[in-house]
Amino acid sequence: MIPLDVHVIRDEIPVPRPDLPIEGRATRTDSYPVAIVTGTDATADRLTALAPQGRMAIVTDETVAALHVRPLVEALDRRGITSTVKAIPPGEGSKALATAVGLLDDLAHSSVGRRDLLVACGGGVVLDTAGWVASAYMRGIPYANVPTTLLGAVDAAIGGKVAVDHTVAKNLIGAFYQPVGVVSNIEYLTTLPGRQIRAGLAEVIKKGMIASPELFTAIETDLEAILAQDTGALDRLVRSASATKCALVARDPYENDLRRPLNFGHTVGHAVETVTGYGPVLHGEAVAFGMAVAARISLSRGWISPGVCDRLVTLLHRTGLPHAIGQLGAEVDPDAVVAALGKIRLIRAGRLRFVLPLDVGTVAIADDVGDEEIHRALHAPVPTGLAR
Ligand SMILES: NC(=O)c1ccc[n+]([C@@H]2O[C@H](COP(=O)([O-])OP(=O)(O)OC[C@H]3O[C@@H](n4cnc5c(N)ncnc54)[C@H](O)[C@@H]3O)[C@@H](O)[C@H]2O)c1
Ligand SMILES: [Zn+2]
């Protein structure tokens, strides 16, 4: 006799008729809370709620480890959570297969199992690398993002795009793998160098420009307090920007549509990063310049009013972000940028997509922008009144 408490599974899957197609199916809906908090205790509370087994493996970088991780581990310990910490060297160089393999080795030799939580605590480099490791280890273990840079909080932590770089291309080896939660502790952002705040702000200005006039105006109003790293202003900024990013990615979470407003500023931005070798110009700085170039292309087509174009460039300027080629932190040859764009055009069957702003909150996607137009916009001088 089988005891009553034994779970019995009975099934009758039919053998299909030979003429019928066989279809593999896997649907799932992922949703996760994005919490914006202030302080280590609040961060530990949120993380504890995401780790039912009471165990975590924290991945961070050495800079963040020295600044913030010990108090977090202690706060988790007080809540009965056992955690291990692995710190990778800071910088884009760590976003590599070799780092990921090292982390996978560590996990393999640890007691971390399928239901334990991997916590990615750091900037975009840590979030992308640890997220990809989480997607691969045991075919995917739960992970939570604890961003410590502004770019991390408003961008990399949300959307489930995880990857490491390859020498052939950035983000070449990756996946879509959603976190079980995001905990943004505003306090962490107060130790960031000003340049990192400004670079992160470029991605928020982008979100305002493509999708939220309200967010754009809020940045204009709060800018001085944000740049002074006032926690109240940063809290408002991260809250609005996170909500905007969530709304935008929810529309097309797996990026089936190539006409993505979120790419605003990124066509020229990526080309600038390529020609400068991903180092001297930060991603946000390249995107800021890319947004100014796209706005000028739009202006020359008569698609955007001079007033709106000025409004964007003025905000970039006030933020201390580059909006003219001579302001990039490296010598950039416009011909090299156009050549890099030409390569992308070739790869994409002759089409180069530009997100062109029409107004604050409205964009158009154009695939007919020519080299001449790009050249003119790249060469545009710094507007009078905005010389630094
Ligand atoms: N997955 C996505 O959707 C997505 C989106 C945007 C960017 N990214 C990726 O993010 C990466 C860039 O992220 P990033 O700009 O955060 O860079 P990063 O992770 O390299 O961090 C920048 C620097 O700040 C330091 N740092 C981090 N937190 C700090 C803190 N609180 N105080 C002081 N210093 C701190 C880091 O050690 C590092 O030196 C890129 O690889 C990019 O591809 C991913
Ligand atoms: Zn970006």
Side-chain angles (χ1 to χ4, degrees):
M1 225 7 219
I2 298 168
L4 274 177
D5 59 350
V6 169
H7 186 65
V8 176
I9 300 161
R10 183 188 143 78
D11 229 336
E12 277 184 39
I13 299 168
V15 173
R17 276 179 19 211
D19 57 323
L20 286 181
I22 301 173
E23 185 190 35
R25 237 174 303 147
T27 46
R28 76 182 210 197
T29 311
D30 290 305
S31 72
Y32 48 92
V34 179
I36 289 98
V37 302
T38 301
T40 307
D41 279 315
T43 308
D45 281 341
R46 294 289 183 155
L47 284 177
T48 302
L50 299 171
Q53 306 289 311
R55 281 206 312 208
M56 291 178 198
I58 301 175
V59 178
T60 185
D61 75 21
E62 285 155 7
T63 305
V64 178
L67 287 167
H68 301 298
V69 172
R70 185 181 300 159
L72 179 61
V73 167
E74 287 168 358
L76 289 168
D77 187 56
R78 288 196 294 279
R79 286 159 179 79
I81 302 278
T82 325
S83 59
T84 57
V85 177
K86 177 75 188 175
I88 61 175
E92 187 72 29
S94 275
K95 204 176 125 173
L97 208 45
T99 314
V101 169
L103 292 170
L104 287 166
D105 277 341
D106 289 344
L107 286 171
H109 292 115
S110 75
S111 54
V112 174
R114 281 216 61 167
R115 318 226 169 267
D116 294 323
L117 185 70
L118 192 148
V119 176
C121 178
V125 165
V126 167
L127 305 180
D128 282 11
T129 307
W132 187 68
V133 165
S135 79
Y137 187 60
M138 294 180 160
R139 298 198 185 89
I141 59 168
Y143 80 109
N145 283 329
V146 179
T148 63
T149 62
L150 181 57
L151 185 94
V154 301
D155 212 350
I158 298 165
K161 280 168 76 173
V162 294
V164 293
D165 299 337
H166 187 278
T167 44
V168 165
K170 228 174 105 60
N171 297 320
L172 194 66
I173 305 162
F176 283 98
Y177 187 62
Q178 309 298 338
V180 294
V182 177
V183 186
S184 290
N185 177 5
I186 296 302
E187 246 175 38
Y188 291 158
L189 306 184
T190 60
T191 58
L192 268 185
R195 190 177 173 202
Q196 295 285 348
I197 291 283
R198 293 193 291 276
L201 254 174
E203 294 281 4
V204 190
I205 293 171
K206 177 195 79 178
K207 291 178 178 69
M209 196 65 197
I210 62 172
S212 176
E214 203 181 336
L215 173 58
F216 195 91
T217 306
I219 306 167
E220 290 175 320
T221 310
D222 264 0
L223 187 63
E224 273 69 36
I226 294 166
L227 293 176
Q229 287 163 264
D230 169 85
T231 48
L234 286 171
D235 182 283
R236 287 191 291 279
L237 182 79
V238 171
R239 202 169 286 279
S240 322
S242 300
T244 309
K245 170 109 197 213
C246 284
L248 286 168
V249 292
R251 287 178 197 165
D252 181 24
Y254 298 105
E255 300 193 345
N256 291 316
D257 192 345
L258 293 170
R259 297 161 301 173
R260 286 192 291 276
L262 278 165
N263 279 351
F264 176 42
H266 283 62
T267 312
V268 163
H270 282 148
V272 166
E273 288 182 285
T274 304
V275 303
T276 55
Y278 293 94
V281 183
L282 296 180
H283 177 70
E285 294 166 347
V287 168
F289 176 64
M291 290 193 284
V293 171
R296 287 176 185 132
I297 292 171
S298 204
L299 184 66
S300 71
R301 290 183 167 204
W303 288 12
I304 190 175
S305 73
V308 175
C309 185
D310 268 2
R311 199 174 155 197
L312 170 65
V313 173
T314 302
L315 183 56
L316 295 174
H317 186 80
R318 283 178 61 208
T319 307
L321 285 164
H323 49 84
I325 202 156
Q327 296 172 333
L328 292 164
E331 199 67 43
V332 177
D333 174 9
D335 290 335
V337 173
V338 173
L341 289 170
K343 271 196 196 150
I344 301 171
R345 191 182 275 129
L346 271 184
I347 296 166
R348 307 233 171 107
R351 289 193 191 281
L352 192 59
R353 267 185 204 88
F354 263 87
V355 179
L356 299 181
L358 308 187
D359 197 351
V360 180
T362 311
V363 294
I365 318 283
D367 58 10
D368 63 341
V369 178
D371 285 356
E372 232 350 272
E373 268 183 297
I374 301 171
H375 254 294
R376 259 183 282 127
L378 284 173
H379 283 288
V382 179
T384 19
L386 296 187
R388 275 201 272 198

